[in-house]
Amino acid sequence: MFAVGLSGGIGSGKSTVADLLVDYGAILIDADQVARDIVEPGKPALAALVERFGPGILDADGRLDRASLAAATFGDPEALKALNALTHPAIGIEMVEQRAALVDQDVVVVFAVPLLREEHKALLHFDVVVVVDCPTELALKRLVEVRGMDRVDAERRIAAQISREERTKLADRVVDNSGDLRALTELTTSLWAWINEQRSAHDRNVRG
Ligand code: ATP
């Protein structure tokens, strides 16, 4: 396995890049998807959330109602800390397990992690880290105009993230998504070539 950590701020374009890499043959492990999977009915993390925040966070079918959970934690740092403490370890364990299932295969695995930090690099043994970056104003514009997100909500989410500078510091390669979608597609084609160069160099090193 060659492990690629992929990150970027909200609306930066990382899902678009991840999907293009999958088209090239990469396997995607997406932290956002894992975060949804670990709170499916019957999973321990959901029971822990109900214990902490009450049954009001469930919908009529007993599934997590994200809007109610967001309302229960909004503007409350302690509640947010509790939410993270109850979910992040389960997300980490699940991603480590998915990694372990692929580790002996001759594949490129892309781990999409929105809030990538140094400890994720160590936990998931990324061979390289790629960060998709674009000016904050542009990310905001795309979230509001392309995805139809509420502007205030988008601004609040962007403000809660680490800065662009902090994020790009972790990167071995930065994909600049300040152009149009065609430009991003071309940059992702070069990114895939670069990933495979890194992978070949890595394989040569491993073989000695
Ligand atoms: P999130 O963190 O919210 O999942 P993201 O970083 O994964 O966001 P995307 O979903 O890839 O970002 O992109 C955000 C929106 O902007 C999408 O609707 C996408 O189609 C659009 N988009 C991404 N890049 C471009 C671009 N270069 N030009 C125009 N639209 C773009």
Side-chain angles (χ1 to χ4, degrees):
M1 170 202 290
F2 188 73
V4 179
L6 177 69
S7 193
I10 176 169
S12 60
K14 64 188 166 304
S15 307
T16 309
V17 171
D19 290 346
L20 290 167
L21 293 175
V22 167
D23 288 345
Y24 276 120
I27 293 174
L28 176 64
I29 298 180
D30 178 2
D32 281 343
Q33 183 58 49
V34 171
R36 287 190 285 273
D37 294 344
I38 58 118
V39 292
E40 282 289 304
K43 296 282 172 75
L46 183 59
L49 289 177
V50 172
E51 197 174 307
R52 170 65 174 78
F53 296 104
I57 60 164
L58 298 178
D59 66 15
D61 299 327
R63 307 185 75 85
L64 181 64
D65 177 17
R66 294 185 167 274
S68 302
L69 181 62
T73 54
F74 183 72
D76 181 345
E78 278 307 311
L80 196 59
K81 225 162 116 185
L83 168 63
N84 290 341
L86 293 172
T87 53
H88 286 184
I91 297 170
I93 290 167
E94 177 62 27
M95 291 187 82
V96 166
E97 283 179 0
Q98 291 193 17
R99 183 188 195 283
L102 293 165
V103 75
D104 292 329
Q105 293 186 33
D106 188 17
V107 286
V108 173
V109 180
V110 172
F111 296 82
V113 182
L115 305 173
L116 185 87
R117 289 194 308 269
E118 204 60 57
E119 57 259 40
H120 299 120
K121 275 171 87 167
L123 182 72
L124 293 164
H125 303 279
F126 297 146
D127 294 299
V128 290
V129 170
V130 175
V131 168
V132 184
D133 181 55
C134 77
T136 308
E137 266 309 308
L138 191 52
L140 185 61
K141 187 171 175 322
R142 286 178 186 151
L143 288 172
V144 174
E145 290 177 8
V146 186
R147 207 190 275 168
M149 196 183 268
D150 174 68
R151 189 178 178 93
V152 175
D153 186 31
E155 278 175 350
R156 188 173 55 79
R157 284 165 192 259
I158 286 174
Q161 303 182 130
I162 59 169
S163 67
R164 284 175 72 195
E165 289 69 27
E166 277 179 87
R167 195 179 302 112
T168 46
K169 250 195 258 166
L170 293 174
D172 298 298
R173 187 169 170 113
V174 175
V175 175
D176 173 12
N177 185 21
S178 44
D180 60 12
L181 277 175
R182 180 200 283 247
L184 183 61
T185 305
E186 283 171 8
L187 286 171
T188 309
T189 304
S190 322
L191 172 65
W192 181 247
W194 177 81
I195 287 171
N196 282 293
E197 280 163 28
Q198 301 299 309
R199 181 188 184 187
S200 303
H202 171 266
D203 290 351
R204 279 197 299 276
N205 280 341
V206 170
R207 280 197 303 269

